[in-house]
Amino acid sequence: METLNKSQIEAALAARLPSYRITCTLHADGTLSAMLSSPETDHFAITGIVRAHYNGEQAIARLANEILREMVLSRQGLKNSRLHTPPDHSDSVKGLDR
């Protein structure tokens, strides 16, 4: 099966991820990078996608699902890191005043 070109990949991903503007870059080594941008200034980039692994419509659907999964995992990681507050060092600062 023939490898999809840039515009075909962008159109196929945009159809499956309609709330995002998709911009792809094809690289000489056969990989693909995709930048997803939403109206709420939410951006997500994924690089190193091996184009040969995603031939045809079913493979593009799988790629879209993998991208969504990575976005969810990334957001969960960001959310978890924000929930961890830095330790309170007020005791050590108070100890210096003694």
Side-chain angles (χ1 to χ4, degrees):
M1 187 178 294
E2 186 176 312
T3 303
L4 299 176
N5 67 35
K6 178 184 181 227
S7 61
Q8 291 170 318
I9 294 168
E10 287 175 341
L13 288 175
R16 287 168 176 76
L17 305 167
S19 60
Y20 286 89
R21 183 174 50 103
I22 312 291
T23 306
C24 292
T25 304
L26 303 180
H27 304 284
D29 65 357
T31 62
L32 164 76
S33 297
M35 172 67 86
L36 291 79
S37 304
S38 77
E40 295 89 31
T41 67
D42 184 24
H43 302 290
F44 187 81
I46 187 163
T47 62
I49 302 165
V50 179
R51 288 177 57 216
H53 294 173
Y54 299 97
N55 293 320
E57 289 297 315
Q58 287 182 336
I60 290 294
R62 190 176 81 243
L63 175 60
N65 287 335
E66 290 172 5
I67 290 171
L68 283 172
R69 185 173 43 247
E70 289 298 321
M71 291 170 70
V72 168
L73 291 172
S74 175
R75 286 189 182 122
Q76 286 176 345
L78 287 173
K79 188 177 184 179
N80 288 341
S81 68
R82 289 181 190 149
L83 291 176
H84 296 284
T85 57
D88 183 12
H89 294 294
S90 60
D91 290 338
S92 61
V93 173
K94 288 178 189 173
L96 292 176
D97 292 336
R98 288 182 189 176

